[in-house]
Amino acid sequence: MEHVNCLIIGGGPAGYTAAIYASRAALAPVLYEGNEPGGQLTTTTVVENYPGFPGGVDANQLMAGMREQAVKLGADVRRGTVTSADLGVRPFRLVVDGSAELEADALIIATGATAKYLGLPSESKFRGMGVSACATCDGFFYRRKDVAVVGGGDTACEEATYLAGLCRKVYMIVRRDVLRASEAMQEKVRNTPNIEILWNCNTQEVLGDASGVTGARLIRKNGEVFDINVDGFFLAIGHHPQSDLFSAWVNTDDQGYIITEGATSLTNVEGVFAAGDVQDPRYRQAINAAASGCRAALDAEKYLKK
Ligand code: NDP
């Protein structure tokens, strides 16, 4: 069985950054990228808020650069998905792609989170062409345009108020007649004049043409079907952290996010560290994920050299 000193799972900003730091600390890291190398960022186009790129940077190029940097510094970056894990033994035991077994002394979990989508074919068709699950990433492209945000939780309210500062009009598509969001966030939405809440509405179809999204067809609870004209269609109906594989050992919160100790990457299992969106229900930005990958590598180094 292959023995790995420091195993990193996840090919997003957290995983690659952990690999960069772990390589420089001579931890001989092995990183499995999973089936979406580059992570969530690759679902967007241009990243304009990653420091150091005044002209913006293509998301795929940014991730390819992080990957290349990790490889250059000596990380063993591999395609493959960890399909099972036993963190109750030492060294930890893991299986890749259902067959290749390996053991690891330290483990950095950087598996990320996936935004939930409605599951409509038209929504997939226009992903990256007006359909987005990240207002902070993509809102800028809809300046002075009309957009819609689906959801009624804190994220939806936060994204709607953020977008209201950039866009002409923001529709919130809410499936019930109440918002789930905290009172403070609801208040913010109520006090933002260019947000209109469409209560009791579900999306039947995202409308568009060759240039991207042009609108959405909605259905109200009473059966009324109507269209709205928007250029951007933002999903804010929650995220799903990719922690299922580890939750038998590693403590998670009620939504499945891995709980880390204070500002560290330490989990309740000694030698297991978590970084990036899998442990971050709040900020969910590439720069934060990268920073937490750095922390995880420094924590793993300290643990392995103990
Ligand atoms: P939530 O689960 O809180 O809210 C999801 C929202 O999406 C709900 O309004 C829900 O409707 C709606 N929804 C879910 N599925 C569908 C669907 N298929 N079609 C239409 N609407 C749907 O997720 P959030 O991401 O908003 O928040 C996650 C956690 O993070 C929460 O605990 C939140 O408080 C926290 N958070 C805190 C922030 C802050 O403090 N500033 C900012 C952002 C998040 P319904 O209500 O009918 O179920």
Side-chain angles (χ1 to χ4, degrees):
M1 188 187 307
E2 183 183 5
H3 182 92
V4 174
N5 188 41
C6 177
L7 182 69
I8 301 166
I9 313 176
Y16 292 142
T17 306
I20 289 167
Y21 275 78
S23 301
R24 294 190 81 245
L27 303 185
V30 171
L31 180 150
Y32 278 96
E33 295 180 302
N35 51 18
E36 195 185 13
Q40 283 181 84
L41 212 58
T42 56
T43 63
T44 180
T45 46
V46 178
V47 183
E48 290 186 332
N49 52 8
Y50 202 90
F53 299 93
V57 56
D58 176 88
N60 285 291
Q61 203 183 319
L62 177 65
M63 295 319 301
M66 287 191 199
R67 184 186 193 280
E68 190 186 330
Q69 195 171 349
V71 170
K72 239 184 195 163
L73 290 166
D76 184 349
V77 177
R78 303 175 182 174
R79 284 286 160 93
T81 302
V82 172
T83 45
S84 71
D86 182 354
L87 308 184
V89 294
R90 299 301 166 113
F92 307 122
R93 283 192 165 215
L94 301 107
V95 176
V96 178
D97 292 334
S99 56
E101 286 185 61
L102 54 86
E103 51 181 30
D105 291 329
L107 174 66
I108 296 175
I109 303 170
T111 42
T114 46
K116 291 182 192 160
Y117 285 83
L118 298 170
L120 302 168
S122 54
E123 177 192 49
S124 329
K125 185 173 161 194
F126 293 111
R127 237 197 244 192
M129 290 173 67
V131 171
S132 164
C134 180
T136 324
C137 320
D138 297 328
F140 196 64
F141 304 115
Y142 302 95
R143 270 168 301 165
R144 292 182 287 278
K145 293 182 174 175
D146 295 350
V147 297
V149 176
V150 185
D154 278 321
T155 304
C157 290
E158 204 164 75
E159 306 231 319
T161 42
Y162 173 77
L163 288 166
L166 298 169
C167 305
R168 194 172 58 178
K169 171 146 196 169
V170 180
Y171 293 100
M172 281 184 77
I173 303 170
V174 178
R175 66 178 173 182
R176 292 189 291 152
D177 59 357
V178 287
L179 294 173
R180 180 185 287 274
S182 58
E183 189 44 44
M185 287 307 299
Q186 294 196 29
E187 185 70 20
K188 258 191 176 176
V189 166
R190 280 196 291 269
N191 290 335
T192 309
N194 59 337
I195 298 179
E196 180 182 339
I197 303 182
L198 302 170
W199 300 105
N200 296 311
C201 284
N202 274 301
T203 308
Q204 270 193 340
E205 203 184 336
V206 180
L207 308 170
D209 56 26
S211 64
V213 168
T214 57
R217 180 154 300 151
L218 310 183
I219 179 162
R220 237 188 263 278
K221 254 193 194 139
N222 62 9
E224 179 199 355
V225 176
F226 63 102
D227 293 351
I228 53 170
N229 296 324
V230 290
D231 293 297
F233 185 84
F234 288 87
L235 281 306
I237 58 171
H239 282 76
H240 183 72
Q242 316 262 48
S243 63
D244 296 354
L245 218 52
F246 317 104
S247 56
W249 296 277
V250 171
N251 289 342
T252 56
D253 69 10
D254 56 358
Q255 294 176 70
Y257 287 94
I258 295 177
I259 296 169
T260 48
E261 216 176 276
T264 74
S265 67
L266 275 63
T267 70
N268 60 303
V269 180
E270 212 189 349
V272 177
F273 308 91
D277 284 12
V278 74
Q279 53 83 58
D280 178 8
R282 194 180 174 101
Y283 298 107
R284 295 195 290 254
Q285 296 297 300
I287 187 77
N288 288 305
S292 74
C294 159
R295 284 203 293 267
L298 295 178
D299 289 337
E301 179 187 8
K302 199 167 171 195
Y303 168 76
L304 286 166
K305 291 188 174 163
K306 208 163 51 180

